[in-house]
Amino acid sequence: MKILKNLLGFVPGNLSLYKMAFRHKSVATFLKDRAKNSNERLEFLGDAVLGSVVAEVLFKIYPYKDEGFLTEMRSKIVSRVNLNQLARKLGFNELVEFDPKSVNVTSKQSSLLGDAFEALIGAVYLDKGYDFTKEFLSQRIIKPHVDIHTLELTETNFKSKLIEWCQRHSKDISFEPIPNEVGENLKLFTIQVLIDGEAMASGVDYSKKNAEKFAAEKTCELLGI
Amino acid sequence: MKILKNLLGFVPGNLSLYKMAFRHKSVATFLKDRAKNSNERLEFLGDAVLGSVVAEVLFKIYPYKDEGFLTEMRSKIVSRVNLNQLARKLGFNELVEFDPKSVNVTSKQSSLLGDAFEALIGAVYLDKGYDFTKEFLSQRIIKPHVDIHTLELTETNFKSKLIEWCQRHSKDISFEPIPNEVGENLKLFTIQVLIDGEAMASGVDYSKKNAEKFAAEKTCELLGI
């Protein structure tokens, strides 16, 4: 309770919501139908509210950046890796209830802490409303803990990542332009990734470089790289 | 202006925001940096706000459904197809400004109207705030125009869609279980789609059937089916 109040900076209203936010599915019980008293439904809600708040923060910080830039910045901020780190820094490992026999919380793959962070946002939203949650996230989380300008500079270079992966697995990779169809905007480039001749994801943008980047990013995601 | 007032059901405050929401990139001019005075930045914001409002609506309508169900329902509601239809029904084709030489608005692939719908939500949000936008969307858009319970029943069967596609293109398809790694939750199934032996997307769930469904859905998306 003390940790929670310190973490939030306000007195929570509906405590049972916050308790649920910290309850991992490994210790949850079924309520009715397929619903559990775990944090997963709150995580669904919190993820959406977080996405919306971060979208607005970026929209206002960067009035002259296009939607591609904004989307990329948001992905960096709300990435699993980033949310897990953030939740760990905020002391979530002392707050989340889980079954240590079925979950390895120290594993890099584990998103238990980041998921609980999103669930907490869902709880704050239901307890206090959108404007309060926005203020809480901006002032208490983003401002002190998220270095937006550093994230702006950390470029995730999906193209080189993908090329390296193909080299390691002895696969041929190429980035092929796809001609525009009739009626399509002629200024747009479509680039398709081929691996060993097999079509992977494609990307579209006004610059060829960005189209390649998007195609590489989607292919990385697809291959789980 | 009259159409806009009829559509919104309220008097817009900042008119220039609404004008921008209806301006497609094909008629936009560059402002500064890579930003255009088109509706794309507003679409980024509106998409996020819409996702959040729909998440809450579903969270409250379905108190006993799990996050998988909620996520699927939201995808159906905010799908491009659904938003395009909705925007058309709301008369957006009379409101959106675009260059008919570079865009074919009647093409099934065109998401011009749905994009403008999201941009409009971004404009309403900046003009009137979250609670107003939520009320507007729930009362004026979702309640009269979105039949949630019918959407619940329309099952998009990605698995059969994918199998049919493979038959049509004479490709072998199989759904292969992937063994859990050490430390992973033993109750989870991971299923990988293989097409002609080539790994496509995979899905993870507590039920094998759902894991197959997710894998099929992601593969459909990847292949543009």
Side-chain angles (χ1 to χ4, degrees), chain A residues 25 33-35 40-41 48 56 59 62-67 74 125-126 130 134 183 206 210 222, chain B residues 25 33-35 40-41 44 48 56 59 62-67 74 102 125-126 130 134 206 222:
Chain A
K25 59 180 178 240
D33 221 339
R34 280 163 62 195
E40 290 166 286
R41 279 170 48 86
E56 185 183 357
F59 187 93
Y62 297 108
Y64 295 112
K65 293 287 190 179
D66 68 8
E67 66 296 343
R74 185 173 56 178
Y125 174 68
L126 291 176
Y130 192 85
K134 187 169 99 179
Y206 286 96
N210 278 336
L222 164 74
Chain B
K25 60 179 176 240
D33 222 337
R34 280 164 62 195
E40 291 166 286
R41 279 170 47 89
F44 164 77
E56 184 183 358
F59 188 93
Y62 298 108
Y64 295 111
K65 294 286 192 181
D66 68 8
E67 67 296 344
R74 185 173 56 177
S102 65
Y125 174 68
L126 290 177
Y130 192 84
K134 186 169 100 180
Y206 286 95
L222 165 74

Side-chain angles (χ1 to χ4, degrees), chain A residues 128-194:
Chain A
K128 304 278 183 178
Y130 192 85
D131 293 334
F132 188 98
T133 309
K134 187 169 99 179
E135 201 55 22
F136 165 71
L137 280 171
S138 315
Q139 298 306 321
R140 191 108 189 151
I141 307 288
I142 299 175
K143 212 178 249 178
H145 298 293
V146 181
D147 186 343
I148 292 185
H149 293 287
T150 303
L151 279 178
E152 188 183 336
L153 301 172
T154 16
E155 161 126 37
T156 319
N157 191 336
F158 291 104
K159 199 178 164 188
S160 19
K161 211 165 148 186
L162 186 59
I163 291 172
E164 275 167 33
W165 183 89
C166 286
Q167 285 169 343
R168 228 171 30 247
H169 292 80
S170 315
K171 288 182 186 288
D172 283 329
I173 178 166
S174 60
F175 291 80
E176 304 289 339
I178 297 179
N180 286 345
E181 283 185 37
V182 177
E184 266 183 4
N185 189 331
L186 291 173
K187 287 180 199 152
L188 281 173
F189 291 90
T190 304
I191 302 287
Q192 167 102 58
V193 174
L194 296 178

